[in-house]
Amino acid sequence: MKYGFEKVREMEIPELASTAVLYRHAKTGARVLSVVNDDENKVFGISFRTPPEDSTGVAHILEHSVLCGSEKYPVREPFVELLKGSLQTFLNALTFPDKTCYPVASANVADFYNLVDVYLDAVFHPRLTENTLRQEGWHYETEGADKPLSYKGVVFNEMKGAYSSPDSLLYEYSQHSLFPDTTYGLDSGGDPAVIPDLTFEKFMDFHRTHYHPSNAYAFFYGDDDPDKRLEILDREFSRYERIDVTGTRVPLQPRFADAVAVKKPYPASERLSKGMFTVNWMLAETADANLNLALHILDHILIGLPSSPLRKALMDSGLGEDLAGVGLEGDIRQMFFSVGLKGIHPSNAIKVESLIFHTIKELVENGIDPMDVEAAVNSVEFDLRENNSGSYPRGLSLMFQALSTWLYDSEDGTEGDPFVLLPFEEPLRNIKAWLEQGERIFEELLARLFLHNPHRTTVQLDPDHKLARTLAAEERARLDAARKAMSEQDVQRVMDEAAELMRLQAEPDAPEALATIPRLAVADLPRENQLIPTEERTASGAPVLFHELHTNGIAYLDLAFDMSGIPDRLLPYASVFSRALLEMGTEQRGYVEFSQWVARITGGIWGQIHNTPILDSDIAGSRLILRAKATHEHAAEMAEILREVLTSAKLTDRNRFRQIVSEAVARVEQRIVPSGHQVVATRLRARSHRAHAMEEMISGVSNLFFLRTLRDRVENDFRRVAKELEEFRSLLLRKNGLLLNATMDADGFRALEPELAAIADCLPEKDAPAQERAPMDLPAVEGMTIPAQVNYVGKSCNVAELGFAFTGTAQAVNKLLRTGYLWERVRVQGGAYGSFCIVDRLGGTLSFISYRDPNLDRTLTAYDAAADHLANLELSRDELEKSVIGAIGELDQYMLPDAKGYTALARHLSGQTDEYLQTLRDQALAVTEQDFRDFAEAVRLTAENGAVCVLGHEPGMDASELEFVKTPVL
């Protein structure tokens, strides 16, 4: 027994260089998985089984609400205070269909334990009130006793945004269709039509029954003291007595005897008449390690590559524009597989279903191509060994993997095992051995779990041009019925409650309450930036940036091609050209064989566009970058693949290029609603700098319009399109336009160096003509209309042109503005899901953007009023220090080795030297209250001169005080 915990099991996991120990708290039954290794990016998470019984969003709303003040930290938003003044590398909370997770991460041990302490108090001792539910969930508002009611609430508006995204709806309906009798058949996020059914009593009862140590799954990861972890948890858990939590168990969905068909509408404009369709199968529980890994490999075989047989059959059919469905979903108790097409004519749904079954039947009868199997096994194995979690801490991805088996008790009450999927060597070895013995394991899985599995559904989403209006009318009817049922006293109470909520939202926290939030001192912060090792070399005359870093035997290589010679008429091709280069085959190999080659040898080769203003200039640093990674053993062959692409990629296959363009259209349309804030930010900045204008042409709304036209041109005039692709290639792929970026250890680089020279030598040495570019000329007040129930509201100005110069102090000011004023005015009081302030030092612009916002004019007024807020700001020493800590935390973002190498490349392209970045740090560390007031000038210039861009619903624009120049987007 150690600090009240009994050791249940210990496991060495060599493939993760970790020791994992499972503990149980003797008094409460709380479970703890403690993973010890040398990773400085420490992770803690506490999770609860939270399967809802309805779609009121209670689990989601509670996830927001527990972070609104607690017993030990009685401030309105401890979460925001941590965002302001922490070195956190991850800080968030997440609601899943069956669990709610509260993870934090930091590379600083003192900061890490501060985060753990605040989160533990938040989840177990929140100050939940009716006003908390009103703010984060929903409440009525009215502007007067004789005025209509409306709904307000952060989660309410967040989910209205989610229900405006066809892809989100397709995922929800596909999952719901397979699990009608369990929690997975409900919307844990909340259905906007049902959220107002949530009462305060149900809200509080959910916390009482679910947020208890007996229902808790705690997780630690990293290089901190493993004994201290238990001591911290025991201090909290020991305050409780064990309770019965069998009611939170996630039951199995009984299997269907027959397939089920579901047909649903989605909100669409009259311009769009295309549907979406998936076939979905419930497969098996997650807890069989061999089966779990085999299904992940099978997912890659079927749809993981452009040449994968099921993906290829669907795209070659011409029945749709892009793949639909999530493929394998393995994070819930019973895994499922979902695949289909988007952009179909509704009458073709039956053809899509028939094609899917026909393709799977052929694979079962004729066998899967051994090259597809080898490619999939290599790709999955590479991912497992690389353990690259991107911008997420590695420990966080490990926590989610453990929870995917740990959370689920068996029907006889045996508790779930968190260790099942963490060690991967044995199941990988088993699968390879079975394949070597000639076993048809993947064909058998296809036959058993797909062809002969009656537990399947089809989901068809058809466009409904009237649905947005119908939903608005239904909401209006519910509100009017509620208003009709109210007495005068009831209406007055609604007004009084809304006024009281606004008063509380505007009331500042007491200094003594803010002082309870633990944080580091500025004196604890490192004074020097963390440098990324960079050596400038050459390979046969081409410049090379080499970053000597420990990469676990993986070579990361970037080939950055200068796009400054590409004329504006060709520039919008960039994204589809980068795909065509890698996905249309070469003179030596068709695209199926080529895709298999890439997947068998490498960890992936892909294209990425990078546009950046260059420091202190109006020049754009614009590059099309081919990114590749492979083990040192295969690095030379990776270079051979790249040379073949650069010298002999085929760009003349009209059918294949048609598919690439159709997919591109569908994918850009898909991200408009969920990433509306990015769409608006890109559009606004296009007015300010040529680099951002290029970004808009390559990836913004302008590119969507180009791609739609290109789709028609491919059908009607492909000879000219092919000629333009060839012209793009000729202007781009030049030796004297190439910059090589290599991230690996010294031995790996020595072995690869001759290959870099060979890559440079395979390219022609020629100049490209310089192009005249300018910022885009767009309307000063622009409205981009979509069939959504929310808005993305932006305002931006190039303040550098008006005489304002950003320094490193802007990092601190912006951090506090974003997590203070904007959070309170736009999110808390306005009900938007989020709001951002973006300082573009290189381009000289200041931008304000909101996310899933019910308002328009109100949000713009809040942006403009930020100038007076800053000009009259009086900051305590505590607030000032918090802003510095938060700014340094953003400067010192934790990065994995490949991200470090790419970041160094990006800095090089933008002209940001180590000396310049250190100056920014020095300025941020020395920020004063006067710097905040000085920044008010940038906000004032934006208020008076800024352009406005709104992506949202047209009625809101029509009701605005502004005159919008409107453009339909979806």
Side-chain angles (χ1 to χ4, degrees), residues 769-790:
Q771 301 294 328
E772 291 293 326
R773 302 197 199 277
M776 294 180 74
D777 184 16
L778 296 169
V781 180
E782 184 177 24
M784 300 185 293
T785 62
I786 56 175
Q789 303 177 61
V790 290

Side-chain angles (χ1 to χ4, degrees), residues 891-936:
L891 289 173
D892 291 346
Q893 288 182 359
Y894 186 86
M895 291 182 283
L896 296 175
D898 64 312
K900 288 181 179 179
Y902 188 80
T903 297
L905 170 64
R907 290 171 178 173
H908 176 85
L909 293 174
S910 62
Q912 297 183 87
T913 64
D914 288 339
E915 293 75 20
Y916 168 74
L917 294 169
Q918 184 61 47
T919 299
L920 294 180
R921 186 187 194 90
D922 294 341
Q923 291 168 340
L925 285 166
V927 70
T928 67
E929 189 175 284
Q930 187 58 45
D931 292 312
F932 284 79
R933 294 184 183 140
D934 292 345
F935 195 86

Side-chain angles (χ1 to χ4, degrees), residues 554-599:
I554 296 174
Y556 297 98
L557 180 62
D558 303 311
L559 278 57
F561 291 96
D562 183 11
M563 288 204 298
S564 63
I566 307 293
D568 283 356
R569 64 184 173 81
L570 295 179
L571 201 60
Y573 272 108
S575 60
V576 288
F577 174 84
S578 70
R579 286 191 59 194
L581 204 60
L582 296 166
E583 297 180 21
M584 289 177 65
T586 65
E587 296 297 339
Q588 296 86 350
R589 294 170 176 82
Y591 90 87
V592 172
E593 184 185 354
F594 181 79
S595 294
Q596 291 170 338
W597 187 27
V598 170

Side-chain angles (χ1 to χ4, degrees), residues 503-523:
R503 184 191 69 77
L504 292 171
Q505 290 169 336
E507 187 175 70
D509 288 309
E512 58 271 20
L514 287 170
T516 64
I517 302 290
R519 64 167 174 80
L520 301 175
V522 171

Side-chain angles (χ1 to χ4, degrees), residues 868-913:
D868 286 341
H869 170 77
L870 287 174
N872 299 308
L873 191 64
E874 293 184 4
L875 281 176
S876 67
R877 180 179 179 81
D878 183 69
E879 286 292 306
L880 193 61
E881 289 214 341
K882 263 194 254 184
S883 70
V884 174
I885 295 165
I888 298 301
E890 290 189 345
L891 289 173
D892 291 346
Q893 288 182 359
Y894 186 86
M895 291 182 283
L896 296 175
D898 64 312
K900 288 181 179 179
Y902 188 80
T903 297
L905 170 64
R907 290 171 178 173
H908 176 85
L909 293 174
S910 62
Q912 297 183 87
T913 64

Side-chain angles (χ1 to χ4, degrees), residues 349-492:
I350 188 70
K351 295 179 183 178
V352 176
E353 181 180 10
S354 177
L355 176 61
I356 290 170
F357 276 93
H358 174 73
T359 304
I360 293 173
K361 188 170 183 288
E362 282 199 331
L363 291 173
V364 171
E365 292 178 350
N366 301 328
I368 299 168
D369 185 339
M371 290 296 99
D372 283 332
V373 175
E374 183 183 343
V377 171
N378 176 72
S379 295
V380 172
E381 180 177 2
F382 188 97
D383 289 345
L384 289 169
R385 298 197 186 285
E386 183 188 25
N387 193 20
N388 192 329
S389 51
S391 60
Y392 272 34
R394 279 176 165 153
L396 186 59
S397 62
L398 204 66
M399 183 184 90
F400 291 142
Q401 193 173 25
L403 284 168
S404 70
T405 56
W406 191 15
L407 199 75
Y408 310 118
D409 300 346
S410 65
E411 302 311 288
D412 64 5
T414 303
E415 293 200 344
D417 182 356
F419 292 101
V420 172
L421 303 180
L422 301 188
F424 58 80
E425 291 287 8
E426 183 178 346
L428 185 61
R429 190 164 53 245
N430 290 339
I431 289 171
K432 287 182 174 180
W434 294 330
L435 290 171
E436 287 173 6
Q437 293 162 14
E439 295 191 30
R440 303 174 78 248
I441 58 175
F442 298 112
E443 289 87 350
E444 188 276 333
L445 287 174
L446 281 175
R448 178 165 59 90
L449 295 178
F450 289 75
L451 279 188
H452 307 307
N453 178 6
H455 195 122
R456 69 176 186 272
T457 64
T458 58
V459 173
Q460 180 175 335
L461 250 64
D462 293 335
D464 185 334
H465 308 145
K466 299 179 180 178
L467 184 59
R469 290 192 296 272
T470 300
L471 292 173
E474 290 175 353
E475 181 179 305
R476 182 74 266 151
R478 289 194 299 273
L479 286 164
D480 289 345
R483 174 66 178 81
K484 187 175 181 180
M486 290 180 181
S487 64
E488 290 183 10
Q489 292 80 2
D490 292 333
V491 175
Q492 186 60 49

Side-chain angles (χ1 to χ4, degrees), residues 32 34 120 135 148 195 215 260 288 453 488 505 540 569 585 633 645 676 763 772 784 861 869 918 929 939:
V32 182
S34 180
L120 282 174
Q135 174 178 292
I195 288 174
N215 192 45
V260 172
D288 181 326
N453 178 6
E488 290 183 10
Q505 290 169 336
S540 188
R569 64 184 173 81
E633 176 189 2
V645 165
L763 294 165
E772 291 293 326
M784 300 185 293
T861 299
H869 170 77
Q918 184 61 47
E929 189 175 284
V939 180

Side-chain angles (χ1 to χ4, degrees), residues 193-312:
V194 184
I195 288 174
D197 293 339
L198 179 60
T199 65
F200 183 63
E201 290 72 28
K202 290 180 180 178
F203 174 70
M204 293 300 294
D205 183 63
F206 199 87
H207 184 268
R208 276 191 299 271
T209 55
H210 293 77
Y211 282 62
H212 189 282
S214 299
N215 192 45
Y217 297 76
F219 176 89
F220 274 98
Y221 167 98
D223 65 358
D224 59 306
D225 181 354
D227 287 349
K228 185 165 184 179
R229 300 171 174 180
L230 302 179
E231 182 184 3
I232 289 169
L233 292 175
D234 181 58
R235 261 200 315 266
E236 179 58 49
F237 293 168
S238 292
R239 300 170 65 175
Y240 293 84
E241 300 296 329
R242 189 187 295 243
I243 65 170
D244 180 11
V245 293
T246 55
T248 68
R249 288 178 179 167
V250 179
L252 290 171
Q253 167 64 47
R255 287 200 167 270
F256 295 172
D258 299 293
V260 172
V262 174
K263 191 179 281 193
K264 295 274 191 178
Y266 77 89
S269 69
E270 293 184 4
R271 294 183 60 258
L272 297 179
S273 58
K274 294 172 181 174
M276 308 169 81
F277 178 81
T278 57
V279 182
N280 315 283
W281 292 267
M282 189 177 81
L283 302 177
E285 291 190 68
T286 58
D288 181 326
N290 292 322
L291 178 58
N292 196 303
L293 181 58
L295 285 171
H296 278 86
I297 295 172
L298 180 59
D299 174 68
H300 203 283
I301 290 171
L302 293 175
I303 60 172
L305 298 172
S307 60
S308 294
L310 184 53
R311 175 186 286 270
K312 184 176 185 298

